[in-house]
Amino acid sequence: MEYLKFEDMNLSREALKAISDMGFEEATPIQSQSISIIMSGRDVIGQSQTGTGKTAAFGIPLLEKLDQYDKRLQAAILCPTRELAIQISEEFRKLLKYRENIKVLPIYGGQPIDRQILALKKGAQVIIGTPGRVMDHMSRRTLKMEHVKFVVLDEADEMLDMGFREDIETILDKIPGERQTMLFSATMPKEILDLTERYQKNPAHVMVIHKELTVPSIDQVYFEVKEKVKLDALCRLIDMENPGLSLVFCNTKKLVDELVEQMQGRGYFAEGLHGDLKQSQRDLVMKKFRNRTLEILVATDVAARGIDVDDIDIVFNYDLPQDEEYYIHRIGRTGRAGKSGRAFTFVVGKEIYKLREIMKLTKAKIFRRKLPSLGDIEEVKTRVFVDKIKEIIDEGHLIKYVNIVESMITEDYSALDIAAALMKHNLYDADAEEIDFEAEPVPRYENRFGKPGRKYQEDDERGMTRLFINIGKKEKVKPNDIVGALAGETGIPGRAIGHIDIFEEFTFVDVPREYTKDIIIGMKNKKIKGKKINIERAKQR
Ligand code: ADP
Ligand code: MG
């Protein structure tokens, strides 16, 4: 039951086509469990960690249930931040690729309200918004909830942490009782269960339980890279490590095809394996991989499940996997049959949080490493080449070549120069260029509520730094605005942000000390409530 195929879920042809275009091969566990329940009309409480596909878990069935002939507002999705509202509406639009007449509109604080009012006037059947702004529109009557039949609370825990509880209750109280209510959250504290009790009817609990997973003894490292240098990073690591067989994981079929093409273009023996290939094609690829005429296999998680090759040297997570179970499955492909294996994972930007979650749940030690420089590669290539030369000398049978060298020496070239020129000819790579792999810094965050980092307690009792922001009651700033802006701009989960004091002309906010610098840099020149802000460490009182 863990992983279902979308084809087995009674979805429309249009939906299946759109899902396939998005490159999803099969449903993630939370999707496998939620979609049919939501399709059946029942309320749902869904719990699974971030990055496990919750958006599509409610998005796919919800969009299927909309009536395209009804132009009124039918569905309201509430989420904590502007970024998330935009992200969800983008995913919805992809899911709606083959359906016309369904309008989706994100509405969030920070965008001029007049523009939103105009957009709302044109009509939308689905809105995705932050609670504060949605309430604002409701009280202006620019958003009418009378005909809403579907409500989703996404990232409910985050919304409560950000102080949206009252807003959410006000909104839910105004939506007719004849509705389907879905709530998704990574955690289920008591306040959320209170909400579900008050606002849901006989909800089905869908939980993706994270098993204790043990990782075999595999050397695991990760590299923080920029998205656009991933390909270079992969090539460089392969050049450096010279693996016999490597398996490269991508999250979608499309990415597999793209990567294979790029690697082949650079002269690597790479081929792809995914669900769109015919069985005969797959067999052929696997045969080549097994007898080592193919060295680099690029695959999706689904396709890789059937791989029965024992001596894979390196597993690459070109894309960070959806959840920790995938991670375990993937790296379990190496280090088999008593051999030592290695797993290399690429992490882009905020994915570092997901990786930390994987580390926590799997208790895996994944160490950060820097990508090898051009000099490192040269060194390795030189060593390999020199060893090879020594081997050839030891083997003998060189008389034919000794004659060539002798004839060159009679032309006044020295043996030393001749040898050096041969080295250069073999080792010099005119195309080699230094690449800037260094990713932009992402603020690190430890959840001081879930598991207080020891570091904080040693520093002082809270480990928070007080920041000063030059807006306040005068600008009608509310705690939500501050949390939303800080979380949205810097990627720090809202619940990491501490106490907020709003005064007439300025605001104090406590943030975890070690991220202070990242926040100050990340918020530079940003706006809150339309005003360009100035943020700095608060002075001692
Ligand atoms: P969550 O809400 O649980 O944090 P998201 O819905 O944001 O997770 O999904 C995380 C990523 O996984 C997105 O990039 C999404 O497009 C992708 N994704 C979702 N479902 C699938 C699937 N079935 N197969 C492959 N990728 C998926
Ligand atoms: Mg989500």
Side-chain angles (χ1 to χ4, degrees), residues 431-442:
D431 294 334
E433 56 177 324
E434 202 50 87
I435 296 159
D436 177 21
F437 289 113
E438 278 299 293
E440 278 123 48
V442 170

Side-chain angles (χ1 to χ4, degrees), residues 73-92:
L73 183 66
Q74 298 174 53
I77 288 95
L78 298 179
C79 64
T81 63
R82 170 183 78 184
E83 279 67 29
L84 204 55
I86 294 169
Q87 218 173 299
I88 295 170
S89 45
E90 276 168 5
E91 185 128 331
F92 275 22

Side-chain angles (χ1 to χ4, degrees), residues 49-55 58 84 87-88 154-155 184:
Q49 66 171 107
T50 5
T52 52
K54 291 192 284 293
T55 315
F58 61 76
L84 204 55
Q87 218 173 299
I88 295 170
D154 190 26
E155 301 211 359
F184 284 82

Side-chain angles (χ1 to χ4, degrees), residues 6 24 26-28 31 49-55 91 251 322:
F6 289 110
F24 298 179
E26 60 173 6
T28 64
Q31 291 163 359
Q49 66 171 107
T50 5
T52 52
K54 291 192 284 293
T55 315
E91 185 128 331
N251 284 356
Q322 308 292 342

Side-chain angles (χ1 to χ4, degrees), residues 94-218:
K94 285 185 203 154
L95 288 168
L96 288 166
K97 183 169 172 191
Y98 297 100
R99 285 182 69 192
E100 285 161 24
N101 302 324
I102 299 283
K103 276 228 179 111
V104 175
L105 188 70
I107 46 177
Y108 43 81
Q111 197 187 38
I113 197 145
D114 301 342
R115 197 172 341 141
Q116 284 173 359
I117 291 173
L118 221 64
L120 281 168
K121 270 205 182 117
K122 286 193 194 145
Q125 287 114 310
V126 184
I127 57 119
I128 298 147
T130 48
R133 189 49 76 96
V134 168
M135 244 187 24
D136 197 346
H137 280 290
M138 283 168 72
S139 59
R140 288 166 189 257
R141 296 289 297 156
T142 41
L143 199 54
K144 302 188 184 77
M145 297 293 198
E146 288 86 356
H147 304 285
V148 167
K149 294 188 197 67
F150 309 99
V151 177
V152 180
L153 306 181
D154 190 26
E155 301 211 359
D157 49 356
E158 267 291 291
M159 287 199 284
L160 292 194
D161 282 340
M162 289 168 70
F164 280 135
R165 183 179 182 144
E166 268 181 45
D167 293 359
I168 292 172
E169 291 182 345
T170 311
I171 295 168
L172 289 177
D173 283 331
K174 295 235 167 74
I175 299 176
E178 292 294 301
R179 59 160 199 245
Q180 192 177 353
T181 311
M182 290 143 269
L183 180 146
F184 284 82
S185 191
T187 59
M188 283 295 154
K190 190 176 168 300
E191 298 97 298
I192 298 223
L193 296 171
D194 289 349
L195 262 190
T196 65
E197 227 161 81
R198 265 185 71 185
Y199 293 100
Q200 288 189 302
K201 272 177 254 146
N202 182 29
H205 271 262
V206 174
M207 248 213 263
V208 176
I209 297 154
H210 300 292
K211 292 180 226 136
E212 279 268 315
L213 297 156
T214 42
V215 186
S217 60
I218 293 165

